[in-house]
Amino acid sequence: MINLKELEVWFITGSQHLYGEETLKQVADHAQQVAASLNSDPQIPVSVVYKPIVKTPDEIFETLQQANITANCIGVITWMHTFSPAKMWIRGLNILQKPLLHLHTQFNRDIPWSTIDMDFMNLNQSAHGDREFGFMVTRMRKDRKVVVGHWQDLEVLKEIDTWTRAAAGWHDWQGAKFARFGDNMRYVAVTDGDKVEAELKFGFQVNTYGIGDLVAVINNIPEESIQELLTLYEATYQMTTDLLRGGDRHTSVYEAAKIELGLKKFLEDGNFKGFSDTFEDLHGMIQLPGIAAQRLMAAGYGFAGEGDWKTAALVRACKVMGAGLPGANAFMEDYTYHFDPANAMVLGSHMLEVDASLANEKPRLEVHPLGIGGKADPARLIFSVAGGNALNASIIDMGNRFRLLVNEVEAVEPKHELPKLPVAKVLWKPLPDMKTACASWIYAGGAHHTAYSQNLTTAHLLDFANIAGIEYINIGADTKINQFRNELQWNEIFYK
């Protein structure tokens, strides 16, 4: 279970000694009230922690240094209640390694027209104190999120919520481990990439583990544990009698449960946050993991097939960012098209491994042949996905940079039965339309594998890309193909 409330964002307020002790006491009191309000607001998923106001270069440096080394601090929110001369911030900002949100607000929402005096003006100077701070951050070329408005405004809270979720996803990547069972699918380009550069840029590590190492764990799973999981399968999913214990094809489900428990133990023992596998490297395994990958994703692990470690990591980040929100995040693939001019759609699926957290019905556990891999018929969960707003996201290695590409889509309820397609599936209409979206995706070099999200927005992924310091490209309702191609060309110049 991903519990974002265990993570902290530090609320740091800037001032100076110029205004006297009484003013500083009021600044501290106001800052504590703002931090406490943000911390208790149900829309903010993390803990917002008040830190004593900072008034000197040393106080600023020490506070930001502590933020860097505090394990569960995922970022800092700064606010200049009064005028905080920004040269005081240089040394601290130089060492800050955590994401930064600059909250441009003030304690009072309204001007007290009949009582306002110079004491009030000296106390409430965010209008120019934040500009002084903003100049220094810009001068230092440090990226940050700027949120403007009163701290109790619902739109401001929504923006802070979005950023904290992005910061949580980034924090989760730092030091994360992703296991790659086998290598990349042979000859495939877009799912591969520079793992050294990824660790430098993103903070997570990807290493390959032999299938034999995994098989050894699978073969040592206790029989009692396998039987317990089979009981859970029978209670959770629709199953035909021949797959139940005593049925003619029960062995396939038994082996699938054994694989799931072995994979889970391997990941837990190695403290991994996600994994990939490939149907071209299954030596010693009875079947390709199907339900195992589906259920491990539902438990919070990142996954992508065919050695696609970038998408596995992105799926994990999306699960962290979306923790506690209605809907789910899962591995997905653009599989085939419905090119009806009046109703063009994409059929998204994968041969086995789509997270059943997306299901709009009780999934069916079934066993069917798989035309690739050369192994026994694998067990998998079959279901359809509900309609509604969603998005597809892909991380691409462009050689000189990573690009995060996002397409907003509208999932639609299936109107036709697909009795001969035994896979999990979702239909969607990509925005702004099929032709523009698909052409834009291809121009941008987007992969066929994606992270599919029902509960994140482009704002979450834009904040995430900005924190990561990577290129962000969006395909949405306002996309025009010529403008989109120009954006790609301008970005080439920028990143060179």
Side-chain angles (χ1 to χ4, degrees):
M1 180 65 68
I2 299 168
N3 181 10
L4 297 185
K5 208 63 180 177
E6 295 175 348
L7 305 176
E8 295 180 356
V9 168
W10 287 10
F11 191 86
I12 303 171
T13 306
S15 188
Q16 59 176 316
H17 285 293
L18 178 66
Y19 308 107
E21 288 304 312
E22 185 57 36
T23 297
L24 291 177
K25 287 179 182 178
Q26 292 181 74
V27 169
D29 178 62
H30 289 175
Q32 289 180 66
Q33 290 186 55
V34 174
S37 178
L38 295 177
N39 183 57
S40 63
D41 194 286
Q43 191 162 330
I44 307 297
V46 302
S47 297
V48 179
V49 178
Y50 166 80
K51 289 295 172 179
I53 62 173
V54 290
K55 308 168 292 297
T56 67
D58 287 344
E59 290 177 355
I60 292 168
F61 181 87
E62 290 165 8
T63 301
L64 296 183
Q65 185 179 55
Q66 285 301 310
N68 283 339
I69 64 176
T70 301
N72 64 335
C73 174
I74 66 170
V76 299
I77 297 175
T78 57
W79 171 41
M80 305 303 115
H81 190 305
T82 62
F83 195 79
S84 179
K87 286 176 66 177
M88 297 196 305
W89 286 84
I90 292 175
R91 202 159 59 98
L93 289 173
N94 258 332
I95 63 156
L96 180 63
Q97 298 172 334
K98 299 292 176 77
L100 171 63
L101 183 145
H102 181 189
L103 180 58
H104 184 40
T105 190
Q106 62 185 28
F107 185 73
N108 57 296
R109 193 195 73 171
D110 302 326
I111 293 175
W113 304 107
S114 62
T115 60
I116 186 171
D117 55 18
M118 284 310 301
D119 287 339
F120 182 93
M121 296 279 275
N122 282 333
L123 175 62
N124 297 281
Q125 296 189 60
S126 301
H128 61 293
D130 278 327
R131 282 172 166 79
E132 165 76 358
F133 177 78
F135 161 74
M136 185 51 67
V137 183
T138 297
R139 168 68 189 272
M140 296 175 70
R141 289 4 182 228
K142 291 187 72 71
D143 197 79
R144 77 285 201 189
K145 174 79 171 180
V146 178
V147 176
V148 179
H150 191 254
W151 49 279
Q152 292 175 315
D153 182 78
L154 291 178
E155 188 60 34
V156 167
L157 293 170
K158 182 179 179 181
E159 289 186 65
I160 296 173
D161 162 54
T162 297
W163 176 83
T164 59
R165 290 181 174 278
W170 176 251
H171 172 80
D172 187 73
W173 267 9
Q174 306 314 298
K177 296 166 60 181
F178 293 90
R180 202 180 191 204
F181 297 110
D183 202 351
N184 196 55
M185 181 180 172
R186 296 177 194 125
Y187 309 117
V188 177
V190 74
T191 54
D192 213 341
D194 188 336
K195 296 190 289 294
V196 174
E197 186 62 26
E199 189 163 347
L200 284 167
K201 191 68 180 173
F202 297 135
F204 62 73
Q205 58 178 276
V206 181
N207 289 297
T208 298
Y209 296 84
I211 293 297
D213 296 333
L214 174 59
V215 169
V217 178
I218 292 171
N219 288 339
N220 281 315
I221 295 299
E223 181 65 24
E224 180 182 356
S225 299
I226 300 171
Q227 295 302 325
E228 287 177 0
L229 184 54
L230 289 171
T231 299
L232 181 63
Y233 284 177
E234 293 174 4
T236 307
Y237 309 116
Q238 302 179 63
M239 296 174 62
T240 55
T241 55
D242 63 335
L243 298 181
L244 300 174
R245 277 173 278 204
D248 294 341
R249 296 194 300 157
H250 173 68
T251 300
S252 295
V253 180
Y254 177 92
E255 293 296 339
K258 188 175 176 181
I259 289 171
E260 178 184 337
L261 291 168
L263 258 172
K264 184 172 183 287
K265 179 172 174 51
F266 192 102
L267 296 172
E268 288 177 344
D269 289 350
N271 196 29
F272 295 102
K273 292 183 176 178
F275 68 104
S276 68
D277 58 24
T278 174
F279 61 87
E280 290 177 322
D281 192 351
L282 296 172
H283 184 70
M285 296 187 70
I286 303 297
Q287 59 181 262
L288 180 65
I291 188 174
Q294 291 176 297
R295 284 176 47 82
L296 287 168
M297 264 190 289
Y301 288 99
F303 172 82
E306 293 132 33
D308 186 357
W309 53 271
K310 297 192 301 297
T311 302
L314 183 58
V315 169
R316 168 65 186 190
C318 288
K319 285 182 174 294
V320 173
M321 287 188 278
L325 295 176
N329 296 273
F331 170 55
M332 188 59 67
E333 180 172 273
D334 294 62
Y335 226 104
T336 194
Y337 292 144
H338 183 62
F339 264 140
D340 178 357
N343 190 31
M345 293 182 290
V346 178
L347 175 61
S349 183
H350 205 256
M351 54 190 181
L352 294 175
E353 314 98 340
V354 175
D355 186 348
S357 299
L358 298 175
N360 67 344
E361 59 197 3
K362 187 176 183 178
R364 306 189 308 277
L365 197 166
E366 297 185 7
V367 175
H368 295 275
L370 189 67
I372 56 177
K375 293 293 182 178
D377 300 347
R380 81 290 302 270
L381 297 174
I382 299 172
F383 55 89
S384 294
V385 177
N389 295 332
L391 57 80
N392 277 302
S394 172
I395 288 186
I396 312 127
D397 186 342
M398 296 297 294
N400 66 335
R401 66 190 184 277
F402 290 100
R403 169 180 288 167
L404 179 57
L405 177 63
V406 179
N407 185 198
E408 300 166 72
V409 305
E410 180 186 349
V412 297
E413 299 284 351
K415 296 182 179 179
H416 301 277
E417 296 294 327
L418 301 171
K420 295 185 177 181
L421 186 65
V423 294
K425 49 203 169 288
V426 56
L427 289 166
W428 69 75
K429 296 184 177 184
L431 300 181
D433 57 74
M434 188 81 156
K435 284 181 175 288
T436 302
C438 291
S440 298
W441 191 270
I442 289 171
Y443 278 126
H448 53 286
H449 288 169
T450 61
Y452 179 87
S453 178
Q454 295 175 315
N455 56 22
L456 298 179
T457 66
T458 55
H460 292 98
L461 292 177
L462 175 58
D463 280 353
F464 184 79
N466 287 337
I467 289 171
I470 63 172
E471 181 186 14
Y472 174 85
I473 299 290
N474 187 75
I475 304 168
D478 298 326
T479 298
K480 301 289 189 296
I481 197 69
N482 288 338
Q483 294 175 356
F484 185 83
R485 295 189 70 185
N486 284 339
E487 181 182 351
L488 294 177
Q489 292 171 343
W490 295 334
N491 284 6
E492 284 297 323
I493 297 170
F494 175 83
Y495 283 99
K496 286 180 180 176

